[in-house]
């Protein structure tokens, strides 16, 4: 973890504040790429994940934006109501499970605060001279953050109270092989995009928890830790991470809910039963990594690179 301080806190839309974070000594921060997120451990002791949405080339500060979520678990209320300029925060990461892949053409779809990881992607697309456009929806114009930062001529802004729902099908048109669609927003929006765009041409990031099916097996399985030579048995009552801890073996973790990616581990053999909110569909299909805080095994035995 890295200790940072809040150097600015700005209201950027109704219900959205942007935090600028820096080292207390003003020193250099770890580099990051568009789509990356950080884990922030706030003074309340809780860890939350936020997309980096500032200038990717500024080495001395990070920016994140936080939507007030009245029905959330309290992290956003703490940020909005308690956290102040000068306060310390602990930072994990950055990590990137939503990277910008090379392509001649990008179509970005944002719902509400889902615009945040797309802003650095848009900046990168501009620098690269890629053909890009953005479809950005929100409840009201006043609740839509960073409208003033969108380059003119590329963004279609659709406040629902003025213009209704996003015209996804007509805006996307036919998605050809030169195009990659990036979408971030609530689950219904992502489901609508998934229905229109071939999976190979689509990258999504969810910021709300999706329904996870029951584990594919409820019988014990074994996990071999290849580097230490330890083998642990995981029964239905514990996670892989917890079973490893009981045997004195562990790996880095943060949320332990399958949402942050901190515990991502390489799978050397066996088939994982993915139960996280982090990995993209193509990463799940590859089966060569897993998040042991929540994911389990579809086979009797897994071998992890630990
Ligand atoms: S600790 Fe956050 S995904 Fe596993």
């Amino acid at each position: 973890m890295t200790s940072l301080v809040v150097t600015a806190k700005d209201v950027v839309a109704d219900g959205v504040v942007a935090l600028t974070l820096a080292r207390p000594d003003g020193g250099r921060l770890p580099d990051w790429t568009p789509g990356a997120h950080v884990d922030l451990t706030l003074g309340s002791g809780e860890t939350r994940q936020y997309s980096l949405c500032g200038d990717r080339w500024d080495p001395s500060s990070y920016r994140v934006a936080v939507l007030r979520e009245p029905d959330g678990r309290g992290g956003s209320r703490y940020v909005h109501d308690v956290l102040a300029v000068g306060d310390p925060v602990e930072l994990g990461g950055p990590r990137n499970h939503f990277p910008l892949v090379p392509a001649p053409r990008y179509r970005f779809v944002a719902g509400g605060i889902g615009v945040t990881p797309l802003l650095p992607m848009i900046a990168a697309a501009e620098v690269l001279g890629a053909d890009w456009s953005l479809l950005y929806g929100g409840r009201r114009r006043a609740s839509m953050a960073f409208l003033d930062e969108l380059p003119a001529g590329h963004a279609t802004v659709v406040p629902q109270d003025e213009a209704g729902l996003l015209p996804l099908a007509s805006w996307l048109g036919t998605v050809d092989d030169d195009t990659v669609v990036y979408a971030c927003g609530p689950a219904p929006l992502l489901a609508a995009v998934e229905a229109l765009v071939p999976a190979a041409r689509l990258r999504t990031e969810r910021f709300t928890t999706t329904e996870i099916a029951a584990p594919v097996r409820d019988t014990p399985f074994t996990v071999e830790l290849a580097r230490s030579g330890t083998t642990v048995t995981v029964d239905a009552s514990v996670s892989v991470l917890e079973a490893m801890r009981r045997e004195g073996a562990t790996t880095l973790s943060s949320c332990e809910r399958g949402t942050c990616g901190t515990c991502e581990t390489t799978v050397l053999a066996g088939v994982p039963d993915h139960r996280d909110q982090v990995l993209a569909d193509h990463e799940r299909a590859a089966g060569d990594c897993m998040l042991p805080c929540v994911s389990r095994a579809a086979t009797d035995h897994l071998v992890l690179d630990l």
Side-chain angles (χ1 to χ4, degrees):
M1 292 293 238
T2 307
S3 297
L4 304 183
V5 293
V6 179
T7 59
K9 178 178 175 181
D10 301 296
V11 176
V12 292
D14 287 354
V16 183
V17 293
L19 302 177
T20 305
L21 308 168
R23 288 188 192 274
D25 63 1
R28 188 180 184 93
L29 292 165
D31 194 15
W32 58 281
T33 51
H37 74 272
V38 292
D39 307 322
L40 293 186
T41 303
L42 307 163
S44 56
E46 299 194 59
T47 299
R48 296 285 183 272
Q49 289 72 47
Y50 298 105
S51 296
L52 290 172
C53 63
D55 179 1
R56 176 242 187 285
W57 299 110
D58 174 1
S60 60
S61 73
Y62 289 155
R63 183 176 72 168
V64 299
V66 182
L67 171 70
R68 181 188 286 278
E69 296 180 89
D71 300 326
R73 289 174 296 142
S76 72
R77 284 198 297 278
Y78 181 86
V79 169
H80 277 256
D81 299 338
V82 179
L83 193 69
V85 171
D87 283 354
V89 295
E90 293 294 312
L91 175 127
R95 279 184 296 279
N96 197 343
H97 294 282
F98 192 43
L100 189 69
V101 297
R105 185 177 305 112
Y106 299 105
R107 295 288 176 257
F108 300 113
V109 180
I113 197 69
V115 75
T116 49
L118 304 182
L119 293 176
M121 294 187 183
I122 287 169
E126 282 279 281
V127 168
L128 294 167
D131 172 4
W132 70 270
S133 55
L134 167 72
L135 182 63
Y136 179 14
R139 293 216 171 109
R140 294 173 294 112
R141 192 175 292 272
S143 69
M144 298 172 70
F146 304 119
L147 288 175
D148 58 340
E149 296 188 14
L150 300 175
H154 294 270
T156 302
V157 175
V158 185
Q160 193 172 343
D161 65 342
E162 296 174 24
L165 297 175
L166 289 178
L168 267 179
S170 58
W171 184 82
L172 282 167
T174 302
V175 177
D176 63 25
D177 288 348
D178 284 342
T179 302
V180 181
V181 178
Y182 280 80
C184 184
L189 171 64
L190 299 188
V193 177
E194 285 166 351
L196 294 167
V197 179
R201 312 245 51 85
L202 178 62
R203 303 286 187 277
T204 59
E205 184 166 78
R206 288 174 167 77
F207 56 75
T208 53
T209 302
T210 51
E211 201 73 27
I212 302 286
V216 299
R217 56 183 291 154
D218 57 7
T219 50
F221 54 92
T222 52
V223 175
E224 180 183 338
L225 309 180
R227 295 192 207 183
S228 66
T230 307
T231 296
V232 302
T233 299
V234 184
D235 66 31
S237 68
V238 293
S239 66
V240 172
L241 191 67
E242 183 58 29
M244 285 162 43
R245 270 194 198 128
R246 289 181 184 178
E247 295 295 327
T250 192
T251 187
L252 280 178
S253 67
S254 176
C255 70
E256 303 199 1
R257 295 183 296 111
T259 58
C260 75
T262 305
C263 66
E264 183 175 334
T265 300
T266 298
V267 176
L268 299 173
V271 179
D273 172 17
H274 295 293
R275 316 191 54 69
D276 63 273
Q277 307 280 325
V278 172
L279 297 179
D281 289 346
H282 67 281
E283 293 174 308
R284 292 170 196 274
D288 55 3
C289 65
M290 68 180 284
L291 301 172
C293 66
V294 291
S295 294
R296 304 184 66 80
T299 46
D300 289 342
H301 190 64
L302 284 179
V303 183
L304 302 182
D305 188 19
L306 288 173

